[in-house]
Amino acid sequence: MPHATLLWTLWLALLAPFARAFTPRGFPRFVEWTTGLVLNTEEHTITQSLYALDRTQDWKQLETFAEIGHWNTELVELTIAQQLETAPGRRWYGYRVTALDDSKVHRSSKDVWGTCTFHDYSARCPNRAGTVRAHNWVVLGALLHNPGQPAWFLPQTGRLYFRKSQLPTVPDEEVFHTKCELAVALFRQQAANVPGKHLAVMDGAFALRSVVRPLLLPEEGEPRLDFLTRLRRDARLTELPPPPGSVKRRGPKPKWGRRLPPPKQAGRWRVPWQEGEVFLYGRQRHARWKEQVCLWRVLGHEVPVKVVVAEVEGYKKRFHLVGSVLEWTGLQMLEVFGGRFRQEDGFRDLKQRLGWEECRAWTKKPVLRTSWIEMLTLSLLRLLQFELDARGVPWWQAPPWNKKKTRPSVLDVERWFGRYRPEIQQLVSAWLASEEVSESLKGVGEPGP
């Protein structure tokens, strides 16, 4: 099979399950939008994406789809979650690892729906503004184990966060939710879409009672998730309470054990230091760590946690981690938490390769759908990469100036598409004009909001 035909066949197979989330008239527009984003080498707007497909005559239909077309968000998120189940490395030490963080997408105009003002930490550069206007997205994605190499991060979905004082006005009638509430809702939705053992990995900004308690001690009917996050250096920790019968006194049984020194004084813990090797941040590193099963005041006395304090080669500051998976070793916790940094690679690819900051949408639905479809496209490109590798297709190679390159980038996948641009354009046009698609569109009116 020619490479162009194989590429289109695999790509269409990845897109086909999403048909249930759209109307028969809307699904071809979804295929055009995602494929155009991949082939587009200019600004990633709808217009430029259609130019890349040589389908400029479909401009009005695709604009209408983005603005008012039917889009079942829950089905889209369920579909991508199910597709990721087949990805290599989806189980990491027996858990489906899901990472979450927030990222700002700069927009210059206050008239764009959903923008808020934020302090920009990059403003330390003298020619950057200290306050920026941006969309603040809370993004959730799968973290895939890649033994001996950095993990893969595949974004699945996200929610837009607004400042309470800058909520979009009527008629949008948006309800204010904190970032913590959005994080809990996204994690729960992921666990509900794919039952099983889930691990939520997040930065220390989410190591709060309002996040960890709902995940680990859910309300009736809600799924339970384990967690792994960064721990404050001055966190309040206590030993486990003494076993029943060991306390010779009247009254209620103690819920807390003796107070432990804070993590910054871990040298005083009555457990030995351990040493070993761990793959962390791109290479194998020597680590020296202590781990302690204890109680954490933030979570409460109902559930014990494991705390790890580690000194890692190449880093001056110690790592302080806390997780609810007690059977994991300190090295395993370090490895998985280190994989969380791959989110930054995902945000970079969304902004630089798929034009996350080039959006020209102004109203609610186009703003949300443009970001969602870019996240989906990035994950589908990675799934396509895994499928090409599994089939043994020699689709990429290390460039002469970087012989040490051992893994392909999103840009490599896009270049493989671009290599067969004329053939892909013809295949897309033939598919849109095929009898099957044409028949499905007959008698279907414009989808409603």
Side-chain angles (χ1 to χ4, degrees):
M1 181 183 296
H3 283 166
T5 305
L6 174 64
L7 184 58
W8 171 245
T9 302
L10 296 177
W11 182 246
L12 192 57
L14 290 172
L15 295 175
F18 292 93
R20 58 181 176 168
F22 307 100
T23 63
R25 197 182 188 92
F27 178 62
R29 305 286 83 84
F30 172 78
V31 174
E32 278 188 308
W33 200 353
T34 53
T35 310
L37 280 174
V38 176
L39 290 174
N40 191 356
T41 57
E42 302 181 37
E43 289 189 349
H44 291 74
T45 61
I46 285 179
T47 304
Q48 293 295 340
S49 296
L50 288 175
Y51 265 112
L53 283 177
D54 196 22
R55 297 284 304 183
T56 53
Q57 69 272 22
D58 295 339
W59 171 82
K60 183 59 178 177
Q61 294 94 316
L62 191 50
E63 287 280 0
T64 302
F65 172 71
E67 181 68 41
I68 63 172
H70 174 75
W71 182 305
N72 191 323
T73 306
E74 292 182 359
L75 268 180
V76 171
E77 293 170 344
L78 172 62
T79 302
I80 188 61
Q82 292 174 341
Q83 284 187 303
L84 288 175
E85 284 298 291
T86 63
R90 189 64 185 101
R91 306 291 193 283
W92 203 339
Y93 300 129
Y95 284 80
R96 296 172 178 86
V97 180
T98 305
L100 180 139
D101 203 356
D102 67 314
S103 181
K104 296 178 180 63
V105 182
H106 292 195
R107 299 299 302 271
S108 58
S109 174
K110 65 179 180 180
D111 297 323
V112 177
W113 180 88
T115 58
C116 298
T117 55
F118 300 97
H119 176 68
D120 188 6
Y121 293 98
S122 62
R124 289 173 293 184
C125 180
N127 62 347
R128 295 287 294 273
T131 302
V132 298
R133 185 169 295 279
H135 287 132
N136 195 357
W137 281 91
V138 179
V139 180
L140 174 140
L143 211 58
L144 306 182
H145 190 202
N146 190 20
Q149 293 190 27
W152 302 107
F153 175 72
L154 277 64
Q156 295 175 245
T157 188
R159 295 291 181 268
L160 199 54
Y161 165 76
F162 316 98
R163 288 184 181 276
K164 190 173 185 179
S165 60
Q166 296 177 321
L167 280 174
T169 55
V170 178
D172 293 308
E173 297 180 351
E174 294 293 328
V175 178
F176 173 72
H177 295 286
T178 66
K179 286 185 186 178
C180 294
E181 291 172 344
L182 295 175
V184 171
L186 285 170
F187 280 128
R188 283 178 169 176
Q189 182 186 36
Q190 169 67 15
N193 285 339
V194 183
K197 297 169 66 177
H198 289 265
L199 178 75
V201 183
M202 49 206 165
D203 195 11
F206 295 95
L208 303 172
R209 184 183 184 89
S210 58
V211 177
V212 296
R213 282 188 66 87
L215 293 182
L216 207 58
L217 301 169
E219 302 167 358
E220 186 175 356
E222 296 290 348
R224 180 188 182 277
L225 291 89
D226 287 286
F227 72 88
L228 175 62
T229 185
R230 194 187 300 274
L231 187 68
R232 288 175 58 104
R233 298 174 65 247
D234 59 350
R236 291 190 64 186
L237 306 173
T238 70
E239 295 180 350
L240 298 179
S246 61
V247 179
K248 306 298 183 182
R249 67 179 184 185
R250 295 178 180 179
K253 298 178 182 179
K255 297 179 180 179
W256 302 89
R258 290 187 299 178
R259 179 80 178 269
L260 282 172
K264 62 183 178 182
Q265 299 176 6
R268 296 169 55 192
W269 292 355
R270 294 181 297 178
V271 292
W273 287 97
Q274 304 180 56
E275 296 191 24
E277 300 290 324
V278 60
F279 187 90
L280 193 66
Y281 297 133
R283 66 181 179 88
Q284 203 77 13
R285 300 176 187 270
H286 181 78
R288 178 173 176 262
W289 82 97
K290 278 190 176 187
E291 57 185 65
Q292 174 92 34
V293 176
C294 57
L295 298 178
W296 183 28
R297 282 285 177 177
V298 169
L299 182 59
H301 62 82
E302 296 95 333
V303 183
V305 296
K306 175 170 282 191
V307 174
V308 173
V309 175
E311 298 171 352
V312 180
E313 174 192 354
Y315 291 88
K316 295 181 180 179
K317 295 183 178 180
R318 287 177 173 177
F319 285 71
H320 304 92
L321 304 180
V322 58
S324 59
V325 185
L326 304 184
E327 63 268 22
W328 280 9
T329 66
L331 290 182
Q332 289 174 321
M333 293 173 63
L334 279 170
E335 181 185 356
V336 174
F337 185 80
R340 187 196 63 85
F341 188 74
R342 296 301 106 191
Q343 285 180 296
E344 303 303 327
D345 291 347
F347 295 155
R348 177 203 62 199
D349 290 333
L350 283 170
K351 294 176 181 179
Q352 296 183 4
R353 307 303 178 204
L354 295 174
W356 203 11
E357 291 191 319
E358 298 170 5
C359 176
R360 295 295 179 265
W362 291 75
T363 55
K364 179 178 179 178
K365 286 187 178 179
V367 165
L368 296 177
R369 291 173 176 183
T370 299
S371 291
W372 285 335
I373 208 163
E374 286 167 347
M375 294 177 199
L376 281 178
T377 302
L378 178 57
S379 293
L380 292 174
L381 284 173
R382 287 298 188 192
L383 291 176
L384 177 66
Q385 166 196 327
F386 300 150
E387 183 63 28
L388 290 171
D389 290 339
R391 290 172 176 261
V393 179
W395 64 278
W396 79 282
Q397 60 181 1
W401 57 86
N402 187 10
K403 294 292 187 181
K404 296 182 179 180
K405 183 175 180 178
T406 58
R407 49 192 264 150
S409 64
V410 170
L411 183 58
D412 289 320
V413 189
E414 290 184 323
R415 284 171 176 163
W416 184 250
F417 261 96
R419 183 176 179 179
Y420 303 104
R421 181 189 304 271
E423 293 90 339
I424 296 296
Q425 291 173 345
Q426 294 176 9
L427 290 166
V428 170
S429 296
W431 179 78
L432 290 172
S434 65
E435 182 178 351
E436 179 182 353
V437 175
S438 298
E439 287 296 325
S440 68
L441 299 182
K442 286 183 179 178
V444 180
E446 285 294 333

